[in-house]
Amino acid sequence: MSGDGSNPWTVTRQDGVAVVMLGAGRDAMLTPAARAGLIATLDAAEADTEVRAIVLAAAGGRDFVKSDDPRGALQTEASPTSGDAASRVAACTKPVVACLAGRISGTGAALAVAAHWRVAAPDARIGWGDVTQGRVPAAGATQRLPRLVGARAALDLLLSGRAFPLTKPMLEPLTDAMAEDSARALDEAVAFAGRADLATRPVDDRRDGLLDGAQFVHDIAERRDKVGWDETDAAAQTVAAVEAALLLPIAAGLDFEEDAAARCAAAPRARALHRMTWAERDMSAAHASGARTAEPLTIAGHGVAAAGLALAALDAGQHVRLVGAETERTAKQIGATYEHAQARKRMSSAQRDERLARLIVGGDPADLAPGTPVVLTDNTSGTLDWPGGLVLGVTAPEIAEHLAQPVDAELAIAMPAHARRLVELRAAGGAVGPALPAALVRAGRLPVVSTGEGPMALARLWAALDAAADRLVVAGVPPERIDDALRSRGWGALPFIARDAAGLSNEAADPALQALFADVPLGALDAAMVTAGRTGRMGGAGYYDHAGGKPVADPSVTAILSDIADPSDPGWSGDDIAGYLLLALANECLRLVDDGTVQRAEEADLVAVHGLGVPRQTGGPLGHAEALGLPKAERSLRDLGQSFGPLWQPHPGWARRVRDGQREIGRGLAV
């Protein structure tokens, strides 16, 4: 048997076993034609009296079936759906063995779980990224997975967005045999399927993971406390669907999953998350090809930027080399962070040791090979004797003054560096080469290349956020109310907590930054606080009282700011406050696009989301504006500009796009 032009599955027979296989890469996608072809192929195999069992595989057993093109994942699937295909596998009257290798994700993972048996290669990893895109995992994943592994393991997989190795103990019930190596996975799957005693084992009838009902209910309740009950939130509805696996018959549970998936996919949050996911993937893919895969990430310098970037790279599975002065100090910071994580049971001692084994401490810069990317994080690293031919990125312009050779890029690393993914790069002259962005992709960072002179995009957005928050304080909103409004809505950027942590200053703002915000007095509130003797966390008090170690709102701040701020709180809701700040950021993001600092709207949004901590579910400031509709966004800015001033007065690019009937921001316009 073999596939024809309309059926992308290739079928071969080996001693009574039908090996049903898709291609590799995009050819392994579960497209509508592939779904229909799979159902037809299983029908034919069932009717063939010489076929005793079926093996599902892709790419010669070194890969597995992939989801349909996820760019269209929010659209209604054409019939037959992925759920139809998975249910056909589950209901097959002959044993179906899935040969699993590489990364198995999304509806491909649902197909694997629907199989009666699974043979895995040692490199096989399984996961669902749906929830991170605002979708409920579909094709029966929420019903069949908990039947095999229970609620806790199922929710770890379905909610995290990460792929887990099938060798992980909690996933042991998913694997019936482990192949000796990836190259032999298909042969071993065929041998497994050829066993005389192999019978069908429909997962829809299994209850292995449901037997301990009390533990299942406990695990559901624990997750529900974290994600809530929102009917359009993918995480909340995934928990509800997994609970349905315990409470409902399989057919009713599948209907519940389908309804929840459709409801969440239609919500604005899903569209926003889908947009951000593809912006992130496209940006990483654009830079990944230049990676020197055998080279560690080389970091010179010490302090939070060096340690944070090293931690991020180690967590991403990369080797890290620390060179230059005080490498032991940075290594101790890294070790202490992992010790703390282990003590709080966030990682095991084996995981800690595995990461630290990839940390190379010390070494002579002269031994680095030409073309090696190096990140220099402080002035002392600039004084080292660096050989020519390296690719140097510096985190501050003054570092370059100590170097005998030109630098390749100036870097803005979002802080905390181990938690926020953004690294903005700007070429010191010409264009940024591929080596440094590629090394950062391998370190799990998200590189965004900006152009031009003056303040970089990250600094401009921080300035816009701080200035907009200050303007709301002037209007009477206490600083802690602003931080609380953002915190409760998932923002990582809390303006007044962040400024207290960095330390307050009454020095004039950077002249280049102030010139960009000519009509806005940057830092005026900070100066008033310093004049009152409040210099931030290290001084014991700033916008908050830090005497007890944690920030506590201090009513005296209102009195200190009385000459600047209205003492009467206007009573705006948290949604109002967050919305006003998001529109101020959208206005500055559009300036970044139209003045050529970044090339596309998505790049500005990536800086806001992964640099400042604007929630992904907003779609970024410009994504939020597109969801509102550009005419409404411009009107809202115009109204806010009349009330609050220049930060909200709409940039001319809004009117131009509205006039031209554009629904998306796209690339920059000359305005």
Side-chain angles (χ1 to χ4, degrees), residues 116-134:
H116 304 162
W117 306 88
R118 283 157 292 279
V119 175
D123 69 342
R125 300 172 65 87
I126 191 167
W128 281 261
D130 302 75
V131 170
T132 63
Q133 297 185 50

Side-chain angles (χ1 to χ4, degrees), residues 453-455 460 509-517 522:
E453 299 180 353
R460 287 175 59 175
D510 171 34
L513 204 55
Q514 183 63 76
L516 285 168
F517 297 90
L522 301 179

